Amino acid sequence: MADCIFCKIANKELPSTTVYENDRIMVFRDIHPAAPTHLLIIPKRHIPTLSHCQADDAALLGEMMALIPELAKKEGIQVEGDGNGASKGGFRVVVNAGPDGRQDVYHLHIHLMGGPRPWKNQN
Ligand code: AMP
């Protein structure tokens, strides 16, 4: 899409702080981080919103989600422990969709936010 900033980032027409890339997916740092670590996981192919995904996007969506544990570990925001009461660390995963979902950039992206509290938005 000609006017899409995330397409331009995926095509290297705009700069980004890329932390991961393959043929289908790119991950870069959010320019206005809401948490100590704030990454955006995007498909390189233009999909405007999560609402525009279809059954045959399941593999792509699954690949994007399945990257998160590895990204979290690299960023040092993984959940430590067995996931029970004694755990430490962790992160939030958010997908905004459409105006009521407060989506600003209409190219599908997953927010991965983590790091020690407090965070900027306190979400
Ligand atoms: P959303 O409100 O879910 O559409 O989130 C869009 C996110 O994209 C916001 O957190 C912005 O800070 C971020 N953003 C916008 N432009 C850029 C950019 N050029 N590079 C990195 N992040 C960006």
Side-chain angles (χ1 to χ4, degrees), residues 5-51:
I5 54 171
F6 287 0
C7 282
K8 286 184 179 163
I9 285 174
N11 293 331
K12 314 276 166 60
E13 294 161 30
L14 277 180
S16 73
T17 313
T18 303
V19 301
Y20 176 87
E21 182 175 8
N22 67 22
D23 289 347
R24 298 163 296 285
I25 293 168
M26 198 159 166
V27 183
F28 50 92
R29 295 191 190 282
D30 196 292
I31 204 166
H32 298 302
T37 293
H38 188 167
L39 303 181
L40 299 174
I41 304 162
I42 69 164
K44 288 189 171 176
R45 173 163 63 86
H46 185 80
I47 302 172
T49 82
L50 187 57
S51 234

Side-chain angles (χ1 to χ4, degrees), residues 45-115:
R45 173 163 63 86
H46 185 80
I47 302 172
T49 82
L50 187 57
S51 234
H52 293 85
C53 287
Q54 297 178 350
D56 61 4
D57 294 314
L60 177 65
L61 293 170
E63 188 180 6
M64 291 167 72
M65 287 295 282
L67 265 180
I68 289 172
E70 177 190 329
L71 292 167
K73 205 163 190 178
K74 274 193 194 151
E75 295 289 324
I77 60 170
Q78 74 276 16
V79 179
E80 302 279 5
D82 59 8
N84 290 319
S87 295
K88 289 195 305 181
F91 48 82
R92 294 187 73 221
V93 172
V94 172
V95 179
N96 299 323
D100 288 346
R102 296 210 176 139
Q103 183 175 0
D104 292 318
V105 177
Y106 277 74
H107 180 126
L108 175 66
H109 51 281
I110 299 175
H111 295 260
L112 171 59
M113 294 169 280

